[in-house]
Short mmCIF file of all heavy atoms in Angstrom, two decimals:
data_model
loop_
_atom_site.label_atom_id
_atom_site.label_comp_id
_atom_site.label_asym_id
_atom_site.label_seq_id
_atom_site.Cartn_x
_atom_site.Cartn_y
_atom_site.Cartn_z
N TYR E 23 10.61 73.12 -151.69
CA TYR E 23 10.44 72.03 -150.72
C TYR E 23 11.03 72.45 -149.37
O TYR E 23 10.36 72.40 -148.34
CB TYR E 23 11.10 70.75 -151.22
CG TYR E 23 11.21 69.67 -150.17
CD1 TYR E 23 10.08 69.24 -149.47
CD2 TYR E 23 12.45 69.10 -149.85
CE1 TYR E 23 10.18 68.25 -148.48
CE2 TYR E 23 12.55 68.12 -148.88
CZ TYR E 23 11.42 67.70 -148.19
OH TYR E 23 11.51 66.75 -147.22
N HIS E 26 9.14 74.76 -147.01
CA HIS E 26 7.92 74.27 -146.31
C HIS E 26 8.06 72.80 -145.98
O HIS E 26 7.09 72.04 -146.03
CB HIS E 26 6.69 74.52 -147.19
CG HIS E 26 6.58 75.92 -147.68
ND1 HIS E 26 6.24 76.96 -146.83
CD2 HIS E 26 6.82 76.48 -148.88
CE1 HIS E 26 6.26 78.10 -147.52
NE2 HIS E 26 6.62 77.82 -148.76
N LYS E 27 9.29 72.41 -145.63
CA LYS E 27 9.63 70.99 -145.49
C LYS E 27 8.74 70.23 -144.51
O LYS E 27 8.20 69.17 -144.85
CB LYS E 27 11.10 70.88 -145.06
CG LYS E 27 11.63 69.46 -145.02
CD LYS E 27 13.11 69.48 -144.71
CE LYS E 27 13.77 68.12 -144.71
NZ LYS E 27 12.99 67.02 -144.22
N SER E 28 8.53 70.75 -143.32
CA SER E 28 7.82 69.96 -142.33
C SER E 28 6.35 69.76 -142.73
O SER E 28 5.80 68.66 -142.58
CB SER E 28 7.95 70.57 -140.93
OG SER E 28 7.42 71.86 -140.93
N GLU E 29 5.73 70.81 -143.28
CA GLU E 29 4.34 70.69 -143.75
C GLU E 29 4.22 69.66 -144.86
O GLU E 29 3.26 68.88 -144.93
CB GLU E 29 3.89 72.03 -144.35
CG GLU E 29 3.18 72.99 -143.44
CD GLU E 29 2.76 74.22 -144.26
OE1 GLU E 29 3.65 74.96 -144.74
OE2 GLU E 29 1.55 74.41 -144.44
N ILE E 30 5.20 69.68 -145.78
CA ILE E 30 5.15 68.77 -146.93
C ILE E 30 5.43 67.34 -146.48
O ILE E 30 4.74 66.40 -146.88
CB ILE E 30 6.14 69.24 -148.03
CG1 ILE E 30 5.62 70.55 -148.66
CG2 ILE E 30 6.31 68.17 -149.11
CD1 ILE E 30 6.62 71.27 -149.54
N ASP E 31 6.42 67.18 -145.61
CA ASP E 31 6.74 65.84 -145.09
C ASP E 31 5.52 65.24 -144.39
O ASP E 31 5.23 64.04 -144.53
CB ASP E 31 7.92 65.90 -144.12
CG ASP E 31 9.24 66.16 -144.84
OD1 ASP E 31 9.26 66.05 -146.10
OD2 ASP E 31 10.25 66.47 -144.16
N GLU E 32 4.83 66.08 -143.65
CA GLU E 32 3.63 65.62 -142.93
C GLU E 32 2.55 65.18 -143.91
O GLU E 32 1.89 64.14 -143.71
CB GLU E 32 3.13 66.79 -142.08
CG GLU E 32 2.26 66.43 -140.91
CD GLU E 32 1.87 67.71 -140.17
OE1 GLU E 32 2.78 68.37 -139.59
OE2 GLU E 32 0.69 68.07 -140.21
N ALA E 33 2.36 65.94 -144.97
CA ALA E 33 1.35 65.60 -145.98
C ALA E 33 1.69 64.27 -146.65
O ALA E 33 0.81 63.43 -146.87
CB ALA E 33 1.24 66.73 -147.01
N ILE E 34 2.96 64.10 -146.96
CA ILE E 34 3.40 62.85 -147.62
C ILE E 34 3.15 61.66 -146.70
O ILE E 34 2.60 60.63 -147.13
CB ILE E 34 4.89 62.94 -148.04
CG1 ILE E 34 5.04 63.96 -149.18
CG2 ILE E 34 5.44 61.58 -148.44
CD1 ILE E 34 6.47 64.31 -149.52
N ALA E 35 3.53 61.79 -145.44
CA ALA E 35 3.34 60.69 -144.48
C ALA E 35 1.85 60.36 -144.33
O ALA E 35 1.48 59.18 -144.27
CB ALA E 35 3.94 61.08 -143.13
N ARG E 36 1.01 61.40 -144.31
CA ARG E 36 -0.43 61.20 -144.17
C ARG E 36 -0.97 60.33 -145.31
O ARG E 36 -1.76 59.41 -145.08
CB ARG E 36 -1.11 62.58 -144.18
CG ARG E 36 -2.61 62.57 -143.93
CD ARG E 36 -3.14 63.99 -143.81
NE ARG E 36 -3.15 64.71 -145.09
CZ ARG E 36 -2.63 65.92 -145.30
NH1 ARG E 36 -2.04 66.58 -144.33
NH2 ARG E 36 -2.70 66.49 -146.50
N VAL E 37 -0.50 60.58 -146.52
CA VAL E 37 -0.97 59.81 -147.67
C VAL E 37 -0.45 58.37 -147.58
O VAL E 37 -1.21 57.42 -147.77
CB VAL E 37 -0.52 60.45 -149.00
CG1 VAL E 37 -0.84 59.54 -150.18
CG2 VAL E 37 -1.18 61.80 -149.18
N LEU E 38 0.82 58.22 -147.28
CA LEU E 38 1.40 56.87 -147.23
C LEU E 38 0.68 56.02 -146.20
O LEU E 38 0.40 54.85 -146.42
CB LEU E 38 2.91 56.94 -146.94
CG LEU E 38 3.75 57.60 -148.03
CD1 LEU E 38 5.23 57.56 -147.67
CD2 LEU E 38 3.53 56.95 -149.39
N GLU E 39 0.33 56.63 -145.07
CA GLU E 39 -0.37 55.90 -144.01
C GLU E 39 -1.83 55.60 -144.37
O GLU E 39 -2.41 54.66 -143.85
CB GLU E 39 -0.36 56.73 -142.72
CG GLU E 39 1.04 57.12 -142.28
CD GLU E 39 1.50 56.42 -141.02
OE1 GLU E 39 0.69 55.65 -140.45
OE2 GLU E 39 2.65 56.63 -140.63
N SER E 40 -2.40 56.42 -145.24
CA SER E 40 -3.84 56.30 -145.52
C SER E 40 -4.19 55.03 -146.30
O SER E 40 -5.30 54.53 -146.23
CB SER E 40 -4.33 57.51 -146.32
OG SER E 40 -3.94 57.38 -147.68
N GLY E 41 -3.23 54.52 -147.07
CA GLY E 41 -3.50 53.34 -147.87
C GLY E 41 -4.27 53.63 -149.15
O GLY E 41 -4.61 52.74 -149.91
N GLN E 42 -4.52 54.93 -149.41
CA GLN E 42 -5.28 55.31 -150.61
C GLN E 42 -4.37 56.21 -151.45
O GLN E 42 -3.98 57.28 -150.99
CB GLN E 42 -6.52 56.10 -150.15
CG GLN E 42 -7.65 56.01 -151.11
CD GLN E 42 -8.90 56.68 -150.57
OE1 GLN E 42 -8.85 57.46 -149.61
NE2 GLN E 42 -10.02 56.40 -151.18
N TYR E 43 -4.03 55.75 -152.66
CA TYR E 43 -2.97 56.43 -153.40
C TYR E 43 -3.41 57.08 -154.71
O TYR E 43 -2.65 57.86 -155.29
CB TYR E 43 -1.81 55.46 -153.64
CG TYR E 43 -1.35 54.83 -152.33
CD1 TYR E 43 -1.43 53.47 -152.12
CD2 TYR E 43 -0.89 55.64 -151.29
CE1 TYR E 43 -1.02 52.90 -150.92
CE2 TYR E 43 -0.50 55.09 -150.08
CZ TYR E 43 -0.57 53.73 -149.89
OH TYR E 43 -0.19 53.19 -148.70
N GLU E 48 -7.47 63.23 -150.76
CA GLU E 48 -6.60 64.39 -151.01
C GLU E 48 -6.92 65.04 -152.36
O GLU E 48 -6.99 66.27 -152.46
CB GLU E 48 -5.12 63.97 -150.99
CG GLU E 48 -4.65 63.36 -149.68
CD GLU E 48 -4.53 64.37 -148.54
OE1 GLU E 48 -4.46 65.60 -148.82
OE2 GLU E 48 -4.51 63.93 -147.38
N PHE E 213 5.88 67.59 -156.92
CA PHE E 213 7.19 66.95 -157.00
C PHE E 213 7.06 65.72 -157.89
O PHE E 213 7.41 64.59 -157.54
CB PHE E 213 7.72 66.61 -155.61
CG PHE E 213 7.90 67.85 -154.77
CD1 PHE E 213 7.25 68.01 -153.57
CD2 PHE E 213 8.70 68.89 -155.22
CE1 PHE E 213 7.39 69.16 -152.82
CE2 PHE E 213 8.85 70.06 -154.48
CZ PHE E 213 8.20 70.19 -153.27
N ASP E 254 -2.34 61.83 -158.66
CA ASP E 254 -2.23 60.89 -157.54
C ASP E 254 -2.31 61.60 -156.19
O ASP E 254 -2.16 62.82 -156.10
CB ASP E 254 -0.99 60.01 -157.68
CG ASP E 254 0.29 60.79 -157.50
OD1 ASP E 254 0.56 61.22 -156.37
OD2 ASP E 254 1.02 60.95 -158.49
N GLU E 255 -2.57 60.84 -155.16
CA GLU E 255 -2.83 61.38 -153.83
C GLU E 255 -1.61 62.10 -153.24
O GLU E 255 -1.75 63.11 -152.55
CB GLU E 255 -3.26 60.25 -152.88
CG GLU E 255 -4.66 59.73 -153.17
CD GLU E 255 -5.74 60.71 -152.72
OE1 GLU E 255 -6.05 60.77 -151.52
OE2 GLU E 255 -6.27 61.43 -153.59
N LEU E 256 -0.42 61.56 -153.50
CA LEU E 256 0.79 62.21 -152.98
C LEU E 256 0.94 63.62 -153.55
O LEU E 256 1.16 64.58 -152.80
CB LEU E 256 2.03 61.39 -153.36
CG LEU E 256 2.45 60.26 -152.42
CD1 LEU E 256 3.62 59.50 -153.03
CD2 LEU E 256 2.84 60.82 -151.05
N GLN E 257 0.80 63.73 -154.86
CA GLN E 257 0.95 65.05 -155.48
C GLN E 257 -0.16 65.99 -155.00
O GLN E 257 0.08 67.16 -154.73
CB GLN E 257 0.97 64.95 -157.00
CG GLN E 257 2.08 64.07 -157.57
CD GLN E 257 3.47 64.45 -157.11
OE1 GLN E 257 3.73 65.58 -156.71
NE2 GLN E 257 4.39 63.50 -157.13
N ALA E 258 -1.38 65.46 -154.89
CA ALA E 258 -2.50 66.30 -154.46
C ALA E 258 -2.25 66.83 -153.04
O ALA E 258 -2.49 68.01 -152.76
CB ALA E 258 -3.81 65.52 -154.52
N ALA E 259 -1.75 65.97 -152.15
CA ALA E 259 -1.51 66.39 -150.77
C ALA E 259 -0.41 67.45 -150.71
O ALA E 259 -0.50 68.43 -149.97
CB ALA E 259 -1.13 65.18 -149.92
N ILE E 260 0.63 67.27 -151.52
CA ILE E 260 1.72 68.25 -151.59
C ILE E 260 1.20 69.57 -152.15
O ILE E 260 1.50 70.66 -151.64
CB ILE E 260 2.88 67.70 -152.45
CG1 ILE E 260 3.56 66.52 -151.75
CG2 ILE E 260 3.89 68.79 -152.79
CD1 ILE E 260 4.39 65.63 -152.66
N LEU E 261 0.40 69.46 -153.20
CA LEU E 261 -0.13 70.67 -153.84
C LEU E 261 -1.08 71.44 -152.92
O LEU E 261 -1.18 72.66 -153.00
CB LEU E 261 -0.82 70.30 -155.16
CG LEU E 261 0.15 69.91 -156.29
CD1 LEU E 261 -0.56 69.14 -157.40
CD2 LEU E 261 0.83 71.16 -156.86
N VAL E 263 -0.68 71.80 -149.74
CA VAL E 263 0.22 72.62 -148.92
C VAL E 263 0.69 73.82 -149.73
O VAL E 263 0.64 74.97 -149.27
CB VAL E 263 1.45 71.80 -148.45
CG1 VAL E 263 2.47 72.69 -147.75
CG2 VAL E 263 1.01 70.65 -147.55
#
Side-chain angles (χ1 to χ4, degrees):
Y23 168 54
H26 309 288
K27 186 175 183 324
S28 60
E29 267 183 294
I30 291 168
D31 288 348
E32 202 179 294
I34 290 170
R36 185 174 72 231
V37 172
L38 295 182
E39 304 249 357
S40 77
Q42 206 174 16
Y43 307 118
E48 300 289 341
F213 299 122
D254 69 69
E255 288 286 281
L256 273 175
Q257 301 306 337
I260 291 162
L261 287 162
V263 172

